[in-house]
């Protein structure tokens, strides 16, 4: 093999190795795939759906996040941010006294007819001080009847949040941007 071919082979090898390293870094650190375990986020996400964790950006109210607690990963929706007073009354969410629309629950509520999806509660009854503490978020599963969330676990420390879940990519019939 002559010197020109050896340099060409070396440059291709280096490009492939660098490409693989960047791909692995992006896949395993920046945009991590996770499988949803359980039905607590139905109808938004189903058991076995695969989502991607985005580790960048801020966590905002109504984002779907993944956090780690008790040695496992949970997928839930952020309902309250620090300083929020949350009240659920007659299946209606109030944050800081203002009624909030939850369009992601509309279809599920229709299926239930007159039955309530979410039992009444208030952060005043659950949290010392009555508001979501600094450095935490208050999360609920979209399937409020079958979700282990902040009503049971309390506010979730921001340090336990792995990231938001903007995309469900598998199975293909469930593929979508998560809202």
């Amino acid at each position: 093999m002559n010197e020109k071919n050896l340099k060409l082979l070396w440059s291709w090898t280096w490009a492939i190795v660098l490409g693989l390293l960047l791909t692995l870094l992006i896949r395993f650190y920046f945009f991590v795939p996770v499988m949803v375990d359980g039905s607590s986020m139905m109808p938004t996400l189903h058991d076995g759906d695969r989502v991607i964790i985005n580790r960048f950006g801020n966590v905002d109210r109504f984002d779907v996040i993944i956090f780690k607690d008790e040695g496992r990963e949970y997928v839930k929706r952020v309902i309250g941010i620090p300083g929020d007073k949350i009240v659920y009354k007659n299946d209606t969410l109030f944050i800081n006294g203002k009624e909030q629309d939850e369009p992601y629950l509309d279809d599920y509520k229709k299926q239930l007819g007159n039955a309530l999806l979410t039992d009444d509660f208030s952060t005043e009854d659950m949290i010392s001080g009555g508001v979501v503490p600094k450095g935490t978020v208050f999360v609920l599963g979209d399937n409020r009847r079958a979700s282990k969330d902040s009503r049971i676990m309390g506010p979730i420390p921001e340090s336990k949040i792995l990231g938001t879940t903007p995309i469900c990519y598998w199975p293909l019939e469930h593929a979508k941007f998560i809202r």
Side-chain angles (χ1 to χ4, degrees):
M1 188 176 268
N2 65 30
E3 188 176 327
K4 184 178 177 183
N5 286 341
L6 191 58
K7 283 183 180 182
L8 184 62
L9 178 64
W10 176 247
S11 68
W12 273 104
T13 303
W14 177 244
I16 290 170
V17 168
L18 184 61
L20 286 172
L21 288 174
L22 285 173
T23 300
L24 291 173
L25 178 69
I26 290 168
R27 175 167 179 319
F28 289 108
Y29 184 74
F30 296 120
F31 299 103
V32 181
V34 171
M35 185 167 66
V36 176
D37 182 21
S39 62
S40 72
M41 280 301 292
M42 286 178 54
T44 305
L45 296 169
H46 301 268
D47 186 37
D49 282 357
R50 296 180 195 278
V51 297
I52 292 177
I53 299 175
N54 177 3
R55 294 182 187 262
F56 296 104
N58 296 325
V59 174
D60 294 319
R61 185 179 294 119
F62 303 119
D63 282 350
V64 176
I65 63 166
I66 299 203
F67 64 94
K68 198 164 194 156
D69 193 44
E70 301 170 353
R72 66 175 287 212
E73 294 168 344
Y74 292 88
V75 181
K76 304 293 177 198
R77 188 176 299 275
V78 174
I79 299 298
I81 57 176
D84 282 350
K85 176 185 171 187
I86 300 164
V87 175
Y88 235 103
K89 188 161 182 79
N90 296 324
D91 226 6
T92 302
L93 171 65
F94 296 88
I95 299 176
N96 301 322
K98 290 185 177 181
E99 185 175 334
Q100 301 292 314
D101 187 32
E102 294 183 283
Y104 45 87
L105 298 178
D106 289 346
D107 291 338
Y108 198 16
K109 285 183 177 182
K110 285 178 191 172
Q111 292 172 15
L112 295 174
N114 291 331
L116 295 179
L117 175 61
T118 310
D119 292 331
D120 291 353
F121 73 87
S122 169
T123 52
E124 282 188 333
D125 300 330
M126 305 168 77
I127 301 171
S128 176
V131 298
V132 179
K134 185 177 179 180
T136 68
V137 294
F138 193 92
V139 298
L140 295 175
D142 288 355
N143 184 0
R144 308 286 165 80
R145 293 175 155 203
S147 178
K148 181 178 179 183
D149 50 38
S150 288
R151 294 172 292 176
I152 297 167
M153 304 167 83
I156 305 303
E158 291 173 350
S159 62
K160 292 185 177 185
I161 297 173
L162 301 178
T164 60
T165 57
I167 298 171
C168 176
Y169 69 92
W170 194 260
L172 289 178
E173 62 265 16
H174 294 171
K176 63 185 168 192
F177 289 102
I178 300 169
R179 302 195 192 285

